[in-house]
Each structure stands twice: as structure tokens, then as C-alpha cells.
């Protein structure tokens, strides 16, 4: 329980940090624009378990797995590390999933790093811990398309994604198709 509480406190701090930093640095922002994007997303996804599934192979996940991201703005594309936390407790047991990803975002057409359409692709690893079992790791590949909608103090981001989870040990392969909606703050 202490690990879960600690993880939740870290996640809340990571979500609050960009907003607090923006309040401190807004007046001191250079004329050239922001260098980094900080954001948090909510999502919903349909999943299907591939190899090793004998019965009910579909899942639906919706809600607030804490999804925190930092985007580093480049000349032709952005690099975006992303951390996702998910905790499920049921019937006295639990499943904790921690997923660090690295994505590359490419603005399309006349879009920029701050507004418009983008394509994204990346790789990640999920560290899965369940009560009564040893931890497992699972590599995944993902891609998607999204848009940034500029607002005066931040941006909204809407994104559709596809994620393929590779077979790993006792974890079967599978895929997720979903959407994310989030806010971005610039520093």
C-alpha cells in the first residue's frame, strides 16, 4: 500500500509541476518561444489479447491512468518521453503497470510544434506487477495521429493511437486501439 501511495504522490507532483513552473516563469519567457512541452492525458482504449488467449480476449479500459509527458522541441520533429501509471485492485489482489515510452512527433504540412496535425511513433516497455506473481516486462510499439489546438495559456491535444504489445514470457501479445485527450503547458 505504501508503494501505491508513494506512486500516486509522485504522479500528482509530476502533474502539478508544469503548471507551477509556468506561473513562475511566464513573465520571464524569452521572445523566441518555448523549448519544452509538459502535458498530462486521459484516455480510453479497446484491447485484444492475441497469442495464448483461450476465452474472453477483449478488454476495454477507460479513465485516468496517469499519463505524464515531456516534449523536447526539435527543428523537424519532437522527442517525447512519456510515463503511464495504472493500478487495478479487485478481489484482494492488484495489478500495477508502469510504462515508460519514447515517441517521436512529426508535424504535418503547415503545422508547427505548437499547433496543428502531427504523426507519432514510438517504443515502450511495460513493467507489470501482480499480487502473487513475479514482475514481467513487455515491449510495445505504437503509432498515432493527433492535433494540437492552441489556447491562450496552454494547448489541448487530441490523439488516436494503436499500440502493439509483443509476446514476452507468460505475457501474450496483443494490441490496443484508443484515444487520448490532454493539456500541454509550455516552458
Amino acid at each position: 500500500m505504501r508503494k501505491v501511495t508513494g506512486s500516486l504522490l509522485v504522479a500528482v507532483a509530476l502533474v502539478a509541476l508544469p503548471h507551477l513552473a509556468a506561473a513562475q516563469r511566464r513573465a520571464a519567457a524569452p521572445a523566441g518561444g518555448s523549448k519544452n512541452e509538459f502535458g498530462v492525458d486521459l484516455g480510453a482504449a479497446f484491447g485484444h489479447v492475441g497469442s495464448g488467449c483461450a476465452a474472453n480476449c477483449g478488454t476495454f479500459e477507460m479513465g485516468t491512468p496517469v499519463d505524464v509527458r515531456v516534449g523536447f522541441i526539435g527543428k523537424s520533429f519532437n522527442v517525447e518521453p512519456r510515463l503511464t501509471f495504472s493500478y487495478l485492485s479487485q478481489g484482494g489482489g492488484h495489478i500495477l503497470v508502469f510504462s515508460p515510452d519514447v515517441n517521436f512527433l512529426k508535424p504535418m504540412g503547415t503545422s508547427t510544434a505548437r499547433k496543428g496535425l502531427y504523426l507519432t511513433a514510438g517504443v515502450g516497455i511495460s513493467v507489470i506487477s501482480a499480487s502473487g506473481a513475479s514482475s514481467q516486462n513487455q515491449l510495445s510499439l505504437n503509432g498515432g495521429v493527433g492535433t494540437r489546438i492552441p489556447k491562450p495559456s496552454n494547448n489541448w491535444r487530441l490523439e488516436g493511437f494503436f499500440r502493439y504489445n509483443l509476446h514476452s514470457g507468460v505475457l501474450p501479445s496483443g494490441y490496443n486501439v484508443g484515444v487520448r485527450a490532454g493539456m500541454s503547458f509550455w516552458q
Side-chain angles (χ1 to χ4, degrees):
M1 188 62 173
R2 286 184 187 175
K3 288 182 182 180
V4 173
T5 304
S7 296
L8 289 174
L9 288 174
V10 168
V12 168
L14 288 172
V15 169
L17 183 64
H19 187 64
L20 294 173
Q24 297 298 319
R25 294 185 54 195
R26 188 167 289 136
S34 304
K35 301 290 184 213
N36 300 318
E37 173 186 5
F38 296 89
V40 62
D41 298 322
L42 304 176
F46 168 78
H48 187 272
V49 177
S51 63
C53 180
N56 185 4
C57 302
T59 62
F60 181 74
E61 194 175 325
M62 181 175 165
T64 57
V66 179
D67 190 358
V68 180
R69 56 188 158 73
V70 178
F72 300 99
I73 310 303
K75 291 185 187 233
S76 61
F77 64 91
N78 302 352
V79 177
E80 186 176 272
R82 177 185 303 244
L83 298 174
T84 302
F85 301 93
S86 180
Y87 181 80
L88 174 64
S89 176
Q90 182 178 1
H94 76 275
I95 297 175
L96 175 65
V97 180
F98 170 69
S99 302
D101 287 359
V102 175
N103 278 39
F104 298 92
L105 280 70
K106 173 72 174 150
M108 301 306 296
T110 59
S111 298
T112 67
R114 295 188 68 135
K115 66 177 182 176
L117 183 69
Y118 63 88
L119 295 178
T120 180
V123 63
I125 188 164
S126 293
V127 180
I128 302 166
S129 172
S131 53
S134 62
S135 295
Q136 297 288 320
N137 299 327
Q138 187 170 36
L139 187 68
S140 64
L141 305 172
N142 66 72
V145 61
T147 188
R148 290 186 177 99
I149 304 166
K151 297 293 178 192
S153 63
N154 60 12
N155 281 7
W156 284 97
R157 266 180 51 167
L158 303 173
E159 182 178 302
F161 68 90
F162 177 82
R163 178 182 184 115
Y164 182 75
N165 303 307
L166 293 125
H167 176 82
S168 175
V170 299
L171 298 173
S173 65
Y175 66 85
N176 302 96
V177 177
V179 294
R180 289 186 188 102
M183 294 179 66
S184 296
F185 303 94
W186 297 88
Q187 289 297 311

